């Protein structure tokens, strides 16, 4: 029911009113309510779920509520509350009661706010007084700090006392806090050591709102517009990238005890250190020290770019102070002269993993020059191999790339990291690693900068636009903007390069781009950037040179203004065999996604072509270029698994597929996950399907251990790997509805070159088998009900060239409109289509596909210059609303009676299409057209509970939720003028809601962990060691133990490097299980992995697996000789036994907190494999009943 509240004083913030009403409502048994301020002055609506208690509240307080010297007027509302609003309140009440059962729920009160005398930011230093705070910026205005549920907010000046025209706000999420220190009663301070620069906003008066109030003859309200910026003022901005220690001095000494209580009530904050209040003035500004360091670096002419990069990285990333690195330079110079550039650079890279975080609890000795010098010498004396060098020798299509992260706070250096080559990098092999760098524009937490509910990003985007127009100097080298690919544009990344001389010719960014092709005729910045970006597409499989005489241009198939062959061509048998030979793919795909000259798209085998021939079409050609190598981006090596997602499920539901069909599929998927941890063969198959263990061969090892009667799932580490992977998929099932469809496949699409297929017919091949019958076909993302169609999958004559194809879906060239364009506007230049032949997912009806008008790209009517492209890069960053529109569509589709067919959803689908084309047209979607949205959302859109690793055990924290995808934070931390920011959720009755509630993560995890035995991992390894000893009797291996220790050390250094390189933050390095399985369960706050995180995890998996492959080669005694041939050295069985023995030297019962254990599983895999080879060579009969139990 609604309760009408009137006579509220106009200038009182909403949260203050809510706090007052919360206390009064609680007396009447109402814990959960919703407060909405009305446009009419001094009026609001309070919505409650319990009608009886609501009426009692009005009756009891109808004339007795006095708030800020005013009597509030209460009355029963005349309108029925929105149904979804009531459902969201109902769910909030249910969640509140459940939370009370799990733990004591704390209600926030007025004491959460403390008055501050001033705010400072600076660094920690160590002097004769011990740990000392050095401020580099102080704001002397009186301020306030408010402790929210998941973050604290600093208001400068205090909002309640502010008479100025604007104020500043600093937001600090608790997950960014590394340590907390408090002073004393006499010196009441709180010092926060952060891992990232906090978010800063300026709150200016909402002049437009106040003008409307004056025009209406109404009193003005204190209402603000929030704008994100780099710092409070220019002085603060100059240090935000380097100073992450914030000291807040309380105004009143008595508040020191209140502070202690507030910190104890925030379990998300680290435990506080007490009595730390020492402070000293800085000798120089941080900027001066940094300039002095750069000047000193320039004097060391024998330092190369890679070494300088690592030294600057120590400062840029806040590992060491500039003055400390300055003092370290002479020692580094001496190491270069004694040990060489590469060895010293590698030692500096390893030093990052050993530097502790300055602050309370860290010994000051860790940051002395003697300690740092000693650590570098110790690393150099280890004399271990840089695994990257081995990988580069073994993979000619990889190279090391230095990376730069640009955030609102500053510039941060990363890498170098292994990357696949592209056309530009391949063209200049001797310069690629040192003269080309990759930039990413990110938020301070490492996520993409997108829509921010807390404030406008206009200032941030403006600073990025200015940044891109100017060169940047890194490690003594000046870099300028070069270009970006379509995928990197989405990820807000681009390439920069420094000028160099190649073959006697001076090359700059402009001349490199000019050498890629003719772009002068393209007048659209977005289109020009996209065409140049083709050269920056990763082509990891190398190149094959192709004479122009082997290339032929053929016509497109067009009808009714539609291009049925859009983006696809053909290749002859002789030429595709050449590709097979050059790329050594292990399989023989008949379709490739390629780049050739200025063309891009798919090519498929046409067995009718003679000789070496490549046929391409005008629709594939995007610009003129002289490049004559075929570059492969992807291939149809195997069919990809098919998954449903939330958009597709909703469309299918609206087309008549029952909710029970989805529930059945999900139940089957959950059951498969459940039995995975119950039997080794199930676990092995599951890990194999998920792509775990390309080099570690974990699935194979689990299978072999099973056949030897060794209970491998009793092993602690193996079980953790299985549980980790299973839970990752379960979370995707619950929170993303990523349901596998066994009777479905994801395939590249091409056109029927033989003109055999009729309209609405397809030819579909999966692993050599033809799919026949009625199928459902779509393309992700499917928002419009017409994005899903039913077609007939048919067979073709046995002698048809189509029979030579595999792992593809072939579309007809007949009909009024090509089918791919009807599926979310698809084409054939590399799009993949889910083909579903599960009868349960067949729609009862279909809808005519959407046909949006084609939009011409922005035309400048002149040649596009580099500033046009950089401006577009930032404009795209500022106006990319794709994810936001998709989420709005998902919410409305659940609430509208017609679902995805409702006019509002159809409009959002059209807006989504415009947003998709933004990167090609340069025309942003007009968000003023968006429908009006309810504040409440369906429960399946709620943020996921945090998944935490406590010790070595996974736990779900249901009382603390992560951030929602599009709305920012869902806690109710005070934000001036914004009111309650919590989004409420209701239980959806639609299919997605039923699917969401059908999975109980906590119950599944409890069941999974209850099946773990107490045998301990080491018992399993001991049994395997006994097996190895039994079958290697008489083999000498002990002379290789010392060498095996070196291999183990190098492996563990590789693991630690990956843990830290791909860490979510210095506070949250990846676990060994995450590295070994190549999957990350969530962000540092426990939320589901973002798209960027998934891409990073993929890179991490590739780097780790490549490193393991190198280690395996060393265990087996194989090294690359000068002819790039694998040359065996010693007996691989001897070496593998020695390595396995070394891996088991640790105490069996020692808790593996900092200890790495996975080397024993890599060496165990190798020794098992070598024993099998030994037995085959010596014709020892296989015996799989080798139970070692007494």
């Amino acid at each position: 029911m609604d309760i009408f509240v009137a006579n509220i004083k106009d200038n009182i913030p909403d949260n203050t009113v809510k706090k007052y009403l919360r206390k009064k409502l609680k007396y009447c048994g109402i814990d959960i309510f919703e407060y909405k301020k009305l446009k009419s002055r001094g009026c609001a609506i309070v919505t409650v779920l319990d009608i009886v208690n609501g009426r009692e509240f009005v009756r009891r307080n109808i004339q007795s509520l006095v708030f800020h010297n005013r009597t509030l007027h209460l009355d029963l509302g005349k309108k029925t509350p929105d149904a979804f609003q009531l459902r969201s309140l109902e769910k909030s009440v249910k969640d509140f009661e459940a939370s009370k059962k799990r733990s004591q729920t704390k209600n926030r009160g007025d004491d959460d706010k403390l008055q501050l005398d001033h705010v400072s930011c600076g660094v920690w230093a160590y002097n004769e007084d011990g740990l000392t705070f050095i401020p580099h910026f102080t704001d002397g205005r009186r301020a306030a700090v408010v402790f929210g549920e998941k973050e604290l907010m600093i208001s400068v000046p205090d909002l309640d006392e502010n008479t100025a025209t604007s104020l500043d706000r600093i937001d600090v999420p608790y997950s960014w806090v590394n340590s907390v220190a408090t002073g004393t009663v006499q010196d009441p301070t709180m010092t926060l050591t952060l891992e990232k620069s906090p978010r800063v906003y300026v709150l200016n008066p909402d002049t437009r709102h106040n003008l409307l109030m004056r025009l209406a003859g109404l009193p003005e309200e204190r209402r603000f517009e929030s704008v994100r910026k780099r710092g409070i003022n220019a002085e603060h901005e100059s240090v935000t990238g380097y100073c992450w220690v914030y000291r807040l001095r309380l105004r009143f000494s008595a508040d020191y005890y209140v502070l202690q209580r507030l910190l104890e009530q925030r379990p998300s904050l680290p435990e506080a250190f007490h009595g730390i209040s020492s402070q000293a003035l800085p000798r120089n500004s941080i900027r001066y020290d940094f300039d002095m360091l750069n000047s000193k670096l320039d004097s060391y002419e024998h330092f190369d770019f890679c070494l300088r990069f690592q030294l600057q990285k120590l400062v840029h990333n806040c590992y060491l102070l500039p003055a400390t690195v300055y003092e370290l330079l002479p020692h580094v110079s001496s190491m270069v002269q004694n040990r060489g550039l590469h060895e010293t650079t590698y030692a500096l890279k390893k030093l990052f993993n050993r530097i502790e975080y300055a602050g309370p609890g860290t010994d000051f000795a860790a940051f002395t020059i003697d300690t740092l010098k000693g650590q570098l010498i110790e690393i150099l004396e280890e004399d271990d191999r840089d695994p990257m060098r081995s990988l580069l020798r073994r993979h000619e299509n990889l190279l090391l790339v230095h990376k730069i992260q640009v955030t609102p706070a500053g510039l941060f250096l990363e890498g170098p990291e292994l990357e696949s080559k592209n056309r530009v990098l391949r063209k200049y092999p001797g310069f690629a690693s040192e003269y080309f760098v990759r930039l990413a524009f990110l938020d301070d937490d490492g996520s993409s900068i997108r829509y921010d509910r807390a404030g406008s990003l206009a200032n941030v985007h403006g600073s990025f636009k200015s940044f891109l127009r100017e060169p940047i100097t890194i490690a003594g080298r000046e870099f300028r903007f070069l270009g970006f690919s379509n995928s990197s544009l989405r990820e807000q990344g681009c390439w920069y390069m420094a000028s160099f001389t190649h073959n006697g010719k001076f090359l700059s960014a402009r001349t490199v781009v000019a050498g890629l092709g003719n772009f002068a005729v393209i007048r659209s910045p977005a289109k020009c950037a996209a065409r140049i970006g083709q050269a920056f597409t990763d082509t990891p499989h190398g190149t094959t040179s192709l004479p122009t005489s082997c290339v032929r241009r053929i016509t497109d198939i067009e009808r009714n203004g539609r291009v049925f062959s859009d983006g696809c061509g053909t290749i002859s048998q002789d030429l595709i065999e050449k590709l097979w030979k050059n790329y050594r793919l292990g399989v023989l795909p008949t379709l490739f996604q390629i780049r050739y000259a200025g063309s891009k798209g798919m090519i498929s085998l046409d067995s009718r072509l003679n000789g070496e021939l490549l046929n391409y079409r005008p629709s594939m050609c995007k610009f003129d270029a002289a490049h004559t190598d075929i570059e492969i981006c992807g291939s149809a090596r195997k069919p990809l698994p098919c998954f449903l997602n939330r958009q597709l499920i909703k469309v299918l539901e609206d087309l008549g597929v029952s909710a029970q069909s989805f529930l059945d599929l999900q139940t089957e998927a959950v059951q498969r996950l459940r039995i995975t941890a119950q039997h080794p063969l199930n676990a092995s198959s599951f890990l194999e399907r998920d792509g775990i263990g390309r080099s570690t061969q974990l699935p194979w090892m689990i299978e072999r251990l099973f056949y030897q009667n060794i209970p491998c799932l009793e092993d602690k580490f193996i079980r953790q790997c299985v549980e980790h992977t299973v839970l990752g998929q379960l979370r995707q099932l619950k929170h993303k509805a990523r349901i596998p469809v066994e009777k479905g496949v994801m395939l590249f699409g091409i056109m029927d070159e033989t003109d055999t297929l009729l309209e609405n017919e397809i030819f579909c091949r999966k692993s050599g088998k033809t799919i026949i019958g009625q199928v459902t076909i779509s393309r992700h993302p499917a928002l419009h009900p017409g994005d899903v169609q039913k077609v007939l999958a048919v067979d073709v004559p046995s002698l048809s060239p189509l029979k030579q194809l595999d792992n593809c879906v072939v579309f007809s060239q007949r009909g009024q409109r090509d089918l791919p364009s009807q599926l979310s506007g698809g084409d054939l230049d590399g799009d993949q289509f889910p083909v579903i032949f599960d009868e349960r997912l067949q729609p009862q009806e279909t809808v005519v596909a959407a046909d949006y008008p084609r939009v011409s790209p922005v035309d400048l009517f002149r040649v596009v210059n580099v500033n046009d492209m950089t401006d577009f890069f930032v404009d795209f960053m500022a106006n990319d609303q794709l994810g936001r529109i998709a989420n709005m569509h998902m919410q409305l589709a659940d609430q509208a009676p017609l679902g995805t067919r409702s006019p509002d959803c159809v409009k959002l689908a059209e807006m989504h299409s415009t947003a998709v084309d933004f990167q090609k047209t340069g025309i942003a979607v007009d968000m003023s057209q968006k429908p009006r949205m309810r504040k409440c959302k369906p429960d399946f859109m709620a943020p996921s509970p945090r998944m935490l690793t406590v010790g070595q055990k996974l736990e779900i924290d249901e009382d603390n939720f992560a951030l929602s995808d599009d709305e920012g934070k869902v806690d109710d931390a005070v934000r001036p003028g914004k009111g309650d920011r919590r989004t409420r959720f209701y239980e959806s009755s639609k299919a997605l809601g039923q699917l969401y509630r059908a999975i109980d993560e906590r119950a599944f995890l409890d069941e999974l962990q209850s099946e773990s035995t107490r045998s301990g991992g080491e018992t399993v390894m001991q049994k395997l060691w006994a097996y190895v000893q039994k079958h290697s009797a008489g083999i000498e291996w002990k002379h290789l133990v010392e060498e095996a220790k070196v291999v183990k050390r190098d492996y563990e250094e590789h693991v630690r490097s990956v843990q830290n390189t791909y860490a979510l933050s210095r506070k949250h390095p990846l676990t060994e299980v995450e590295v070994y399985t190549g999957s990350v369960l969530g962000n540092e706050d426990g939320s589901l992995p973002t798209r960027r995180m998934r891409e990073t995890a993929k890179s991490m998996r590739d780097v780790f697996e490549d490193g393991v492959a190198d280690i395996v080669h060393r265990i087996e005694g194989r090294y690359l000789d000068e002819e790039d041939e694998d040359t065996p050295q010693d007996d691989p069985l001897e070496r593998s036994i020695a390595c396995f023995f070394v891996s088991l030297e640790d105490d069996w019962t020692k808790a593996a907190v900092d200890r790495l254990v996975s080397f024993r599983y890599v060496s165990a895999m190798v020794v098992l494999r070598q024993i099998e080879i030994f037995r085959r060579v010596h014709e020892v009969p296989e015996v799989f009943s080798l139970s070692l139990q007494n």
Side-chain angles (χ1 to χ4, degrees), residues 55 76 309 546 632 688 699 712 834 869 1023 1085:
R55 290 180 181 274
L76 298 178
F309 188 91
L546 187 63
I632 292 185
E688 184 75 34
C712 55
M869 288 186 285
K1023 291 178 180 179
D1085 62 359

Side-chain angles (χ1 to χ4, degrees), residues 783-1006:
L783 275 70
H784 190 279
D787 291 339
V788 175
Q789 297 292 325
K790 289 196 297 186
V791 293
L792 185 64
V794 300
D795 201 355
V796 294
S798 58
L799 298 180
S800 170
L802 299 183
K803 282 286 192 179
Q804 304 298 314
L805 304 176
D806 199 11
N807 298 326
C808 64
V809 53
V810 183
F811 294 97
S812 171
Q813 59 172 276
R814 304 187 188 185
Q816 296 300 307
R817 179 181 176 185
D818 60 303
L819 182 56
S821 71
Q822 300 178 54
L823 307 173
S824 301
D827 55 34
L828 302 177
D829 70 351
D831 287 359
Q832 295 178 327
F833 303 85
V835 179
I836 300 172
F837 42 95
D838 191 320
E839 293 181 357
R840 295 173 292 182
L841 298 180
Q842 293 292 311
Q844 300 300 307
E845 57 179 324
T846 56
V847 175
V848 176
D851 190 6
Y852 306 122
R854 296 183 181 179
V855 179
S856 298
V858 171
D859 195 333
L860 298 181
F861 301 103
R862 61 169 172 80
V863 175
V864 175
N865 61 45
V866 66
N867 287 343
D868 296 325
M869 288 186 285
T870 58
D871 287 351
F872 167 69
F873 181 85
V874 178
D875 289 341
F876 184 86
M877 188 189 307
N879 297 294
D880 179 19
Q881 302 287 339
L882 198 62
R884 187 180 172 201
I885 294 171
N887 281 333
M888 293 168 63
H889 181 276
M890 193 184 307
Q891 177 183 346
L892 272 180
D894 187 79
Q895 296 170 353
L898 295 178
T900 55
R901 295 186 182 188
S902 69
D904 283 345
C905 283
V906 171
K907 180 62 180 176
L908 283 171
E910 182 179 3
M911 292 173 64
H912 190 272
S913 176
T914 303
V916 168
D917 292 338
F918 181 19
Q919 66 184 67
K920 295 183 291 185
T921 65
I923 299 175
V925 63
D926 182 4
M927 291 303 292
S928 67
Q929 301 179 29
K930 68 179 178 66
R932 185 175 180 181
M933 305 295 295
R934 290 183 173 91
K935 189 176 179 180
C936 52
K937 295 182 178 182
D939 52 354
F940 58 81
M941 294 183 71
S944 59
R946 297 194 303 166
M947 181 71 73
L948 306 175
T949 302
V950 180
Q952 297 180 42
K953 186 177 180 181
L954 289 170
E955 291 186 3
I956 295 175
D957 184 4
E958 293 181 313
D959 292 324
N960 288 287
F961 288 80
L963 308 183
S964 60
D965 293 334
D966 65 324
E967 295 290 352
K969 297 168 183 56
V970 291
D971 65 288
D972 59 347
V974 172
R975 295 171 183 274
K978 291 293 182 180
D980 186 354
R981 301 177 61 84
R982 184 184 295 277
T983 300
R984 297 198 186 278
F985 300 91
Y986 61 87
E987 291 190 353
S988 169
S989 60
K990 306 295 176 58
L992 287 170
Q994 296 178 48
L995 290 167
Y996 175 79
R997 294 187 297 276
I999 294 179
D1000 186 333
E1001 284 181 287
R1002 181 182 289 275
F1004 187 95
L1005 178 60
D1006 290 344

Side-chain angles (χ1 to χ4, degrees), residues 748-768:
F748 281 113
I750 57 171
M751 188 196 69
D752 173 19
E753 301 286 349
T754 66
D755 194 19
T756 301
L757 301 174
L758 303 177
E759 184 177 7
N760 290 326
E761 286 185 346
I762 63 169
F763 175 67
C764 188
R765 295 273 285 179
K766 173 189 175 185
S767 299

Side-chain angles (χ1 to χ4, degrees), residues 126 131 273 356-367:
Y126 298 89
L131 182 65
F273 294 85
E356 299 185 60
Y357 218 100
T362 302
D363 188 350
F364 78 95
F367 298 95

Side-chain angles (χ1 to χ4, degrees), residues 469-525:
R469 288 180 171 231
E470 301 297 330
I472 58 172
T473 301
I474 297 294
R477 195 165 286 168
E478 186 177 272
F479 291 85
R480 289 184 178 273
F481 173 83
L482 183 61
F484 51 83
S485 65
N486 280 341
S487 60
S488 64
L489 175 62
R490 287 270 180 217
E491 294 298 318
Q492 303 174 352
C494 61
W495 287 92
Y496 267 51
M497 71 161 284
S499 301
F500 58 90
T501 301
H502 180 250
N503 293 335
K505 182 179 179 181
F506 178 77
L507 295 178
S508 65
R510 181 174 297 182
T511 53
V512 166
V513 170
L516 296 176
N518 179 20
F519 308 103
V521 297
I522 304 175
R523 307 298 187 181
S524 166

Side-chain angles (χ1 to χ4, degrees), residues 696 701 717 1021 1041 1043-1053 1055 1072 1076 1104 1107-1108 1111-1112 1114-1115 1135-1146 1155-1167:
T696 62
M701 186 173 72
F717 183 77
M1021 289 294 103
V1041 166
E1043 187 174 342
K1045 289 180 179 179
V1046 174
V1047 176
K1048 176 176 180 285
R1049 186 192 65 204
D1050 290 351
Y1051 169 84
E1052 292 183 347
E1053 189 61 46
V1055 172
E1072 187 176 16
Y1076 199 80
F1104 173 69
V1108 171
I1111 292 294
V1112 169
R1114 292 175 62 187
I1115 294 175
R1135 302 174 68 87
S1136 62
I1137 295 172
C1139 287
F1140 188 43
F1141 170 79
V1142 166
S1143 76
L1144 300 176
E1145 283 187 322
D1146 291 327
R1155 180 171 59 100
L1156 297 177
V1157 299
S1158 58
F1159 180 70
R1160 69 180 53 163
Y1161 301 90
V1162 174
S1163 57
M1165 176 273 295
V1166 178
V1167 77

